[in-house]
Amino acid sequence: ASMDRSLTIEAHVLPAERLNELDARDFDGAISTFGGLNTIDDLAQLAAELHTRLKPGGRLIVHALGTFCFWQWSAAIVRGRPRRRGINTDFGGQIIQHRLYNPDNLWRTHFASYFDRRSVYALSVVAAPSVVKRWPPLSRGLFTLDRIIGRIFPSAGDFFVMDLRRR
């Protein structure tokens, strides 16, 4: 006998600073990807707002730019040009300022009051996009190594991912 398994998903796409415009306060989860949180001025306010919007036990997946990236640092050393990680991005002619975070500091400073941290890991520790694109045969091994190192050193990647659960 087969069971009818239907799932209703309601998705909302809007700037994080405008969460207060939503009527609903019982979301199962929220996701911020590819450094969106790095552009927000008031993360403490965002964390408090997410706490009121998510159901108890609801999940928040945070994907953010870190303060240190091993592959960028290594490439700069090889080129003999160590440099500070950039914090501004030109996006269609508009300069977007990014704040860079250490995953532990970000969680403690803005999210620990409202959320438990389930896991944290780095992305793109050794699997530099330029290397993967230039030498595709290396990508599988680099991604495997990235998954291992990223769990051990969550602050060493281009990005990090935190899986949080609302209290």
Side-chain angles (χ1 to χ4, degrees):
S2 67
M3 296 176 66
D4 178 29
R5 294 184 182 191
S6 60
L7 175 66
T8 302
I9 297 176
E10 183 179 343
H12 298 269
V13 178
L14 72 157
E17 295 91 346
R18 293 177 38 205
L19 284 178
N20 61 344
E21 296 176 14
L22 297 174
D23 291 330
R25 292 193 177 270
D26 60 350
F27 289 100
D28 295 313
I31 300 171
S32 177
T33 61
F34 293 101
L37 289 182
N38 296 86
T39 64
I40 295 172
D41 290 326
D42 192 350
L43 280 181
Q45 174 60 36
L46 176 65
E49 186 68 34
L50 285 166
H51 182 258
T52 65
R53 301 279 168 188
L54 294 175
K55 294 177 183 176
R59 303 272 290 280
L60 171 60
I61 306 299
V62 173
H63 184 248
L65 287 161
T67 54
F68 175 77
C69 176
F70 179 77
W71 72 261
Q72 287 181 350
W73 175 81
S74 299
I77 295 297
V78 168
R79 287 191 305 266
R81 294 181 295 185
R83 58 188 165 102
R84 198 169 130 237
R85 194 156 148 83
I87 59 170
N88 294 322
T89 303
D90 183 338
F91 190 73
Q94 181 180 358
I95 301 298
I96 306 294
Q97 182 180 10
H98 287 79
R99 290 147 203 86
L100 304 176
Y101 298 106
N102 170 284
D104 288 331
N105 291 344
L106 177 66
W107 178 70
R108 274 195 307 269
T109 304
H110 299 291
F111 295 97
S113 297
Y114 308 107
F115 295 89
D116 294 320
R117 187 170 56 183
R118 294 172 42 108
S119 67
V120 60
Y121 58 91
L123 295 174
S124 194
V125 178
V126 294
S130 58
V131 173
V132 171
K133 185 177 180 180
R134 189 173 297 142
W135 294 293
L138 297 178
S139 63
R140 184 175 183 170
L142 286 173
F143 287 134
T144 298
L145 191 57
D146 221 55
R147 280 191 296 278
I148 294 166
I149 296 172
R151 296 229 179 253
I152 298 168
F153 301 106
S155 59
D158 199 6
F159 290 91
F160 61 87
V161 177
M162 279 195 298
D163 180 355
L164 307 176
R165 185 185 62 79
R166 183 198 181 274
R167 287 192 199 105

